[in-house]
């Protein structure tokens, strides 16, 4: 694992021994150096491996291959994929070349076409969009041994992999139970599934989710119940697919990325654009909002222009108060947003969370008030200047803690993602409170 | 799932039908309202369920239970856990009550004691710390049917669960192969494992990691190869444990949390302290560093005190330049840090990443230079003031992009986590460049 073969012929010779992920990683390196060699290898890959390799390539390379590979070769590769991957790839090709996507789609087996049409109806955040329809199910009246014979055939045809469970259904395809292979393998193969299921109702109760369930909720279920697979059911509890833990790993990683980006004012969706101007524009929108709040803060400073003119030390010191408030607030915000997402903070304990943050910010407020108070007094040889900056430090760090904790909660109450926009809202508060308290107190106390 | 039973007697009556996670969730609610009722339920739970429930409780509740439950009850509960969980719990109790931890440890079976002593030697970030020693292995010469008989007994004794694979070892316990149950179940049980393994060398090549491998690397392997379990080997390739996908889900979630916190100057480790003063102190350290950089920025402003006195509009506008630089830099930083962590950026393409960020920041630099240039010109009726702020906006957004992209790469080159400290370093740059370019240009151009 993790070694790259850079010679195309050597790579082709080792294909049998390599995992598709490793082939993709090697191809990625080859693509960078010489795209002719890349396609030389790609076009000679057997269909099944080609399909898996395409899925493991980064999106920007994958999109290039759609133009280079023939419709026939792509059709054969897609045919070998699981239904969820088939759907993703067809949709990806559609965005680049509607005609080619149609050709490939129509080249697929009837059954695959129907599955893709079904899966395409799901929204990006629905469980159904992450499920694969390939699974191993058995009728409750089936003899275990018979179903294992079926499994043998399905596996020989390459139709099934990563089977950890057999899903038990009735004649109406309603999901009744789920039996892990480790339980199945020790049973008498002459018995029927009914015999197993009746032996222990609870043990074989299936973990299932509705097809339109939010995928984030599904991910939470995986974490809470330590699942490796979950059944997806549709109309009237009919079994229609399954979601496996490897899909959920991706969901969790993706969610964390989005959240981190949102806190920083970045829209993840537009970060992988070919056209950097689009990325710049999307980031620019957040910067524009920030410009608005910065101008607002300047208007507050403008209220005190005469005070500043009389006392230029104020201009020198004022960014300190705002900066400290912004940083303390960012700390609080990160903790609140993340703990809300992880479910560690909910409405039951939101008051405790606010109290905690206010306490922490007040403790640090008093400590840094003392420090900066002394610094300012000695720097400008004016004791009262120290008092002014110390007071405004306490006020601003208090608002950082209070608003840093409240803003995400309020956003959530209005069903807005707490990570989106909370940073801008918060720095607006800490800037305005910081400048206003510092300059206002200076005007009252110093002049 | 997800419903809470708040009545203690009702909860006790439903225990057989509930998942331990659900019992823990209900108990969490009961604990909040009435801790007597909480212990009333807890003390009546059967050992096996008690063990699983304890593991699912939040740490702060769990630590309370260590004081309330007797050593005997805790010993019985711990006895039922997997080795990795046993080790964690014993270590948790050790931190609170060394004597009790010793009592519990000595009450465990000899074999468990040895495993715990072994697992305790691993560092927090080593694969060994995440593995469980409970697994299903078979000698390569064993008959499949015989090993399945063994599995039956082990499962009946409750020793094993979540078995997806049988690990094939030789007489020296060296790991040779890994066969998933789905492959095993369709084989002739009269054959030996050697017959299977010889039939296809590559298919049964085991995914394995060394026991002292970094757990983040292991998590990457799970993502790359879509694994559900990995074998852990020690000295001379001896099989010593396995890591399952549910552990990896937690690792990924935890890593994302740490990264988000680090970017915000928060130390995740100290966020769940009982003593809030400790949390405040740890956050205070980052604020202290920020205070240092803020004072540095103030010293830069101080260089231009006479300029500001002559032209107070500069004091009003200067936070805008610094704020925009800070925000643009934060965007770049979040993208760089995250993509470095996800492996999307490495040394091969780091130059491309820097170019991309500089391009984006320059595009936005010119756009916002125009906007703020007009605003400033009209606000203070001085065209040249608009020119000054526009120029410094371009300069500062350029540095935001350039340093926002370079700082994480440089930190990584020195083997420092790019998320740690990069925010402080960057805002120091954008503050100083922002104030210096704006006030410096003003001094040269305006006066």
């Amino acid at each position: 694992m993790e070694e790259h073969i850079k010679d195309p012929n050597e790579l082709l010779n080792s294909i049998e021994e390599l995992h598709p992920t490793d082939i993709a990683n090697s191809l990625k390196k080859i693509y960078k150096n010489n795209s002719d060699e890349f396609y030389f290898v790609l076009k000679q890959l057997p269909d099944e491996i080609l399909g898996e390799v395409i899925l493991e390539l980064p999106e920007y390379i994958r999109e290039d291959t759609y133009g280079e590979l023939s419709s026939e070769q792509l059709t054969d590769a897609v045919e070998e994929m699981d239904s969820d991957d088939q759907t993703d790839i067809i949709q990806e090709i559609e965005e680049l070349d509607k005609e080619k996507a149609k050709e490939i789609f129509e080249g697929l087996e009837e059954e695959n076409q129907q599955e893709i049409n079904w899966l395409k109806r799901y929204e990006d955040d629905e469980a159904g969009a992450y499920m694969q329809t390939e699974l191993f199910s058995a009728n409750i009246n089936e003899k275990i041994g018979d179903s294992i014979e079926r499994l043998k055939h399905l596996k020989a045809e390459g139709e099934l992999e990563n089977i950890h469970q057999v899903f038990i259904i009735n004649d109406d395809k309603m999901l009744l139970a789920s039996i892990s292979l480790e339980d199945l393998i020790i049973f008498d193969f002459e018995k029927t599934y009914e015999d197993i299921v009746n032996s222990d109702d609870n043990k074989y109760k299936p973990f299932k989710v509705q097809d339109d369930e939010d995928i984030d909720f599904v991910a939470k279920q995986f974490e809470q119940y330590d699942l490796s697979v979950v059944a997806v059911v549709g109309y009237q509890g009919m079994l229609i697919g399954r979601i496996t833990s490897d899909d959920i790993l991706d969901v969790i990683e993706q969610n964390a990325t989005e959240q981190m980006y949102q806190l920083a004012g970045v829209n993840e969706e537009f970060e992988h654009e070919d056209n950097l101007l689009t990325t710049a524009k999307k980031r620019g929108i957040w910067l524009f909002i920030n410009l608005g709040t910065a101008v607002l803060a300047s208007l507050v400073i403008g209220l005190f222009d005469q005070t500043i003119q009389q006392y230029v030390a104020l201009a020198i010191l004022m960014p300190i108060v705002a900066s400290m408030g912004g940083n303390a607030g960012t700390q609080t915000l990160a903790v609140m947003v993340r703990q809300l997402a992880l479910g560690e903070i909910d409405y039951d304990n939101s008051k405790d969370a606010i109290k905690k943050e206010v306490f922490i910010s007040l403790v640090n407020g008093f400590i840094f008030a003392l420090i900066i108070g002394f610094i300012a007094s000695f720097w400008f040889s004016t004791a009262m200047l120290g008092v002014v900056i110390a007071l405004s430090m306490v006020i601003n760090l208090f608002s950082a803690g209070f608003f840093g904790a409240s803003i995400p909660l309020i956003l959530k109450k209005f069903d807005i993602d707490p990570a989106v926009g909370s940073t801008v809202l918060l720095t607006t508060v800490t800037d305005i409170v910081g400048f206003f308290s510092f300059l206002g107190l200076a005007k009252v106390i110093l002049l």
Side-chain angles (χ1 to χ4, degrees), chain A:
Chain A
M1 317 177 202
E2 287 291 313
E3 278 163 45
H4 302 301
I5 302 175
K6 292 194 172 182
D7 179 75
N9 286 308
E10 199 188 324
L11 181 58
L12 277 171
N13 287 332
S14 339
I15 272 170
E16 292 298 315
E17 295 127 49
L18 289 174
H19 191 284
T21 302
D22 295 321
I23 302 175
N25 285 340
S26 291
L27 277 171
K28 210 171 113 184
K29 299 283 166 189
I30 294 176
Y31 180 87
K32 281 220 115 197
N33 296 328
N34 184 333
S35 68
D36 288 343
E37 288 184 358
F38 170 82
Y39 287 113
F40 169 78
V41 176
L42 205 66
K43 286 178 183 173
Q44 292 184 67
L45 292 178
D47 297 337
E48 198 192 325
I49 295 176
L50 177 62
E52 297 192 58
V53 167
I54 286 177
L55 289 170
E56 295 296 332
L57 288 172
E59 197 177 323
Y60 69 97
I61 300 184
R62 196 162 60 225
E63 293 187 346
D64 270 6
T65 67
Y66 297 148
E68 200 71 24
L69 295 177
S70 70
S71 294
E72 291 67 37
Q73 210 174 359
L74 282 168
T75 308
D76 293 339
V78 171
E79 187 80 71
E80 297 290 335
M81 297 176 184
D82 286 335
S83 52
D84 52 343
D85 295 326
Q86 288 183 332
T87 312
D88 292 344
I89 295 294
I90 294 275
Q91 288 184 313
E92 225 173 62
I93 300 176
E94 251 171 19
E95 280 177 27
L96 300 167
D97 184 345
K98 268 207 178 350
E99 201 49 49
K100 197 161 194 172
K102 199 169 162 237
E103 256 176 66
I104 296 168
F105 178 78
E106 284 168 357
L108 296 175
E109 284 174 22
E110 183 80 20
E111 200 193 328
N112 285 328
Q113 291 187 13
Q114 284 173 5
E115 280 170 353
I116 293 170
N117 278 333
W118 177 267
L119 291 176
K120 273 168 87 169
R121 305 185 341 182
Y122 290 108
E123 300 289 330
D124 275 354
D125 59 350
E126 288 180 335
Y130 294 83
M131 75 181 180
Q132 50 182 142
T133 53
E134 293 81 5
L135 48 77
F136 179 44
S137 64
N139 189 288
I140 183 129
N141 297 313
E142 194 172 7
K143 215 171 72 180
I144 298 173
D146 292 347
S147 73
I148 289 173
E149 273 306 305
R150 271 198 304 120
L151 177 63
K152 208 167 183 165
H153 289 296
L154 288 168
K155 281 192 64 80
E157 288 166 20
E159 296 270 333
L160 280 183
E161 42 186 45
N162 287 320
I163 301 300
H164 301 141
Q165 321 266 328
V166 48
F167 295 111
I168 312 302
I169 53 178
N170 65 13
D171 294 338
D172 296 329
K173 296 209 167 180
M174 221 183 92
L175 178 66
L176 302 175
S178 156
I179 302 174
S180 66
L181 291 190
E182 63 181 291
D183 289 319
L184 189 62
I185 204 169
I186 60 178
F187 262 93
D188 180 355
F189 287 7
E190 290 302 311
K191 291 193 172 177
T192 68
Y193 282 105
E194 197 162 15
D195 299 325
I196 305 190
V197 174
N198 286 343
S199 73
D200 189 339
D201 258 14
N202 255 303
K203 188 168 174 190
Y204 304 114
K205 204 158 65 180
F207 277 96
K208 60 182 176 187
V209 295
Q210 199 65 34
D211 58 348
D212 62 354
E213 186 62 79
D214 190 318
I215 190 66
D216 293 343
F217 175 80
V218 181
K220 277 247 156 17
Q221 301 276 306
F222 268 81
E223 289 187 300
Q224 283 218 306
Y225 298 99
D226 293 344
L227 306 179
S228 60
V229 63
V230 78
V232 182
V233 296
Y235 179 65
Q236 290 191 330
M238 263 177 59
L239 176 66
I240 54 177
R242 60 171 179 147
I243 298 176
T244 48
S245 60
D246 54 307
D247 297 317
I248 296 298
L249 279 186
D250 295 340
V251 169
I252 289 179
E253 196 81 284
Q254 174 74 7
N255 280 350
T257 303
E258 277 176 23
Q259 207 168 50
M260 211 174 293
Y261 281 14
Q262 282 164 349
L263 274 178
V266 175
N267 193 331
E268 198 270 336
E269 217 182 314
F270 298 95
E271 279 301 312
H272 293 276
E273 296 288 318
D274 282 335
N275 187 346
L276 285 184
L277 285 175
T278 312
T279 312
K281 191 176 139 195
K282 292 290 165 181
R283 289 203 205 166
I285 292 173
W286 281 110
L287 291 178
F288 188 74
I289 298 174
N290 179 65
L291 180 67
T293 76
V295 169
L296 218 63
S298 290
L299 287 172
V300 171
I301 301 172
L303 297 176
F304 301 96
D305 54 351
Q306 288 170 359
T307 318
I308 293 172
Q309 202 143 29
Q310 288 175 54
Y311 218 90
V312 80
L314 298 178
I316 295 172
L317 291 173
M318 70 185 183
I320 295 178
V321 180
S323 159
M324 290 296 282
N327 272 273
T330 303
Q331 289 180 330
T332 295
L333 207 57
V335 172
M336 289 296 295
V337 165
R338 190 61 182 159
Q339 294 197 350
L340 274 169
L342 296 177
E344 289 175 22
I345 293 177
D346 50 31
Y347 287 122
D348 285 351
N349 60 4
S350 58
K351 266 194 190 155
D352 295 340
I354 296 178
K355 274 187 211 155
K356 174 189 159 187
E357 291 302 327
V358 168
F359 176 81
I360 290 175
S361 62
L362 273 179
V363 168
N364 280 326
F366 282 112
I367 290 171
F368 289 104
L370 270 179
I371 299 175
I372 193 64
F374 275 109
I375 293 177
S377 309
F378 286 105
W379 187 352
F380 297 97
S381 314
T382 314
M384 286 319 280
L385 187 60
V387 173
V388 166
I389 198 168
L391 281 176
S392 74
M393 184 69 88
V394 172
I395 293 170
N396 206 23
L397 259 61
F398 166 79
S399 7
F402 179 73
F403 289 102
S406 315
I407 287 173
L409 289 168
I410 293 168
L411 288 175
K412 184 153 185 166
K413 195 133 206 158
F414 286 102
D415 255 334
I416 302 170
D417 188 327
V420 177
S422 50
T423 303
V424 162
L425 281 175
L426 180 73
T427 50
T428 310
V429 171
T430 53
D431 275 359
I432 290 178
V433 171
F435 292 132
F436 190 82
S437 64
F438 179 60
L439 297 173
L441 284 169
K443 190 173 180 178
V444 175
I445 295 179
L446 286 181
L447 304 181

